[in-house]
Amino acid sequence: MAIIEMKNLWKEYGDQVVLERLNARVEEGEFVTVVGASGCGKTTFLKLLLGTEQPSRGEMLLDGAPLPAEPDESRGIVFQRYSVLSHLTALQNVMLGGELQNSRWLGHCVGKTRKALQKEARAMLDSVGLGQAMDKYPHELSGGMQQRLALAQALIKKPRILLLDEPFGALDPGIRADMHQLVLSLWKSQKLTVFMITHDINEGFYLGTRLWVFDKPRLDPQAPGAYGARITYDLPVGNCEKNTLTRINRSVGNTSRAINDTL
Amino acid sequence: MKKLINRQPGRVGQWALGLLPFVLLIIAYLIASDARLAANANDKLLPALNSFADAIQRMAFEPSKRSGDYLLWVDTLASLQRLAMGVGISALMALAVGIANGTIPYIRATLSPLVTGLSLVPPMAMLPVLFIIFGLGELAKVMLIIIGITPFLIRDLQQRALEIPREQIIKMQTLGANSWQIITRLVWPQLMPRLIGAVRLSLGPAWLFLIAAEAIAATEGLGYRIFLVRRYLAMDVILPYVVWITLLAFAIDFMLSRYSRWRYPWFHQQGH
């Protein structure tokens, strides 16, 4: 059974159509990268997956049942910024998931449980390369380290689905390449299903198993909100020609210009 | 030569410039005081420094002839107790209501208009009401401080709670937190330094309400004493009391600021 399935999914805000007629199935273990112009509903799609927005029409199914209408443990997330809690050290951030689970009232653990959580969190931090920064607060970490921490914090809960919202958009190119390696290795070792939003099409072509392009196939330059975005390309990654990339780039470029001009 | 806006005083210069206005004020006072006392040796308006020293000696280090108390310390203790109770209770209430308002939409919808309405009531206009309801005892004075600063504290904390990045609240939910845990592990700890900041700002109004209440009905307290000796034009007592109150206010503010920096380094190192 598909882990995520969309059936004729629409999302509208008033008379602005953001997404229209989305139909897709994603199997467990797939790594889907989502690219598209700004304003083409990538973030809205992520919010639908998170549960902070509900579809206007159609269905979003998780394991065949309607997706919960609020964020929960089944879907972990890493945002571009503010993903980790600024008042906790790296170690406390990673321990948080376990503490919340073990202490429903206080959210703080003591004694043996705490020791076990600490040990687990230390191992997790080591595996993302933050072994030296356990007791630092997020503001003392670089942008790349903060994103490593956010990954560690999300993955220690072993979510079935990991959502990444332009997680490396603010990082330097070299650091970004390191983070790609990290994400790929975590995805393989934890058997995750990953949805990653990016506006960097090359990143989308390099990472993951499947590439979705969100674009507006029908575009009224006078009213870009009249028609919504659809998945215009659904490609297996590493299996497409150079022309495709050029074609996608041109189409996405046109859309973003049209949206930009009317703003 | 650099433009004026780009020229910086050095370290010593900074201190010297900062002290300069204080020194000038003191010199101006001494000259004016001398001139008045030369014209009339019994002038009460601008007493000389030795009159201040006498007054401080009398108020702080000699038992009062009537009651046997050391008045300055009795007054200070009474005022600080009222201030601590008023500000402490206000801070606790503000923390509870501010967090609830800022976190839970149903509570915000219910209480936020009430808090906004209450914050517009002029507290001093309520003082007679408080004296009628609570009598002339301690409670009325503490209540005035509470009524005066709690709405401001609640509104500030509610706003700060709403400013917590949405991402972090979603993050907590994806880590399995329930509403209560989101409050205890995210909202409350992140609002503590904000509360201290808001309390520091509200200390000015708190002193105002305290002194006003003491001026009207009290048997001891810094505000009571100032208004009592006003009848005898005792500037030699009033001015040291004012300086003392200012020093107390400064010390409290300084301690709160230091405590916050020590306890919440993650907050202050982010540029707050």
Side-chain angles (χ1 to χ4, degrees), chain A residues 101-114:
Chain A
Q101 188 177 10
N102 284 299
S103 166
R104 293 310 282 171
W105 274 97
L106 289 174
H108 282 285
C109 294
V110 289
K112 219 184 264 176
T113 330
R114 185 176 182 79

Side-chain angles (χ1 to χ4, degrees), chain A residues 71-73 75 77 79 82-87 96 99-100 103-108 137 139 150 153 157, chain B residues 165-168 170-178 180-181 184-186 189-190 265-267 269-270:
Chain A
D72 67 18
E73 296 161 276
R75 289 146 293 155
I77 184 151
F79 294 103
Y82 302 126
S83 278
V84 290
L85 307 188
S86 52
H87 65 289
L96 185 62
E99 286 196 288
L100 293 171
S103 166
R104 293 310 282 171
W105 274 97
L106 289 174
H108 282 285
Y137 285 103
H139 73 270
Q153 184 188 43
K157 284 294 288 181
Chain B
R166 198 72 216 151
E167 286 90 340
Q168 301 200 355
I170 291 173
K171 183 80 194 194
M172 288 293 285
Q173 298 181 63
T174 64
L175 294 177
N178 56 36
W180 174 247
Q181 288 176 320
T184 58
R185 292 291 325 253
L186 172 66
Q190 293 215 353
W266 51 268
F267 179 76
Q269 286 163 20
Q270 284 176 314

Side-chain angles (χ1 to χ4, degrees), chain A residues 152-213:
Chain A
Q153 184 188 43
L155 291 181
I156 202 158
K157 284 294 288 181
K158 307 216 180 317
R160 301 192 50 213
I161 300 176
L162 179 64
L163 307 174
L164 305 171
D165 187 6
E166 302 200 16
F168 315 132
L171 303 183
D172 290 335
I175 309 290
R176 203 182 298 183
D178 296 347
M179 296 298 292
H180 290 163
Q181 293 310 319
L182 177 65
V183 165
L184 286 175
S185 75
L186 289 170
W187 164 62
K188 280 184 192 131
S189 63
Q190 298 222 7
K191 300 184 177 56
L192 294 162
T193 308
V194 179
F195 287 87
M196 174 164 139
I197 310 272
T198 171
H199 58 240
D200 180 350
I201 293 184
N202 296 314
E203 187 176 71
F205 264 87
Y206 167 72
L207 222 53
T209 59
R210 192 170 172 185
L211 172 74
W212 285 356
V213 181

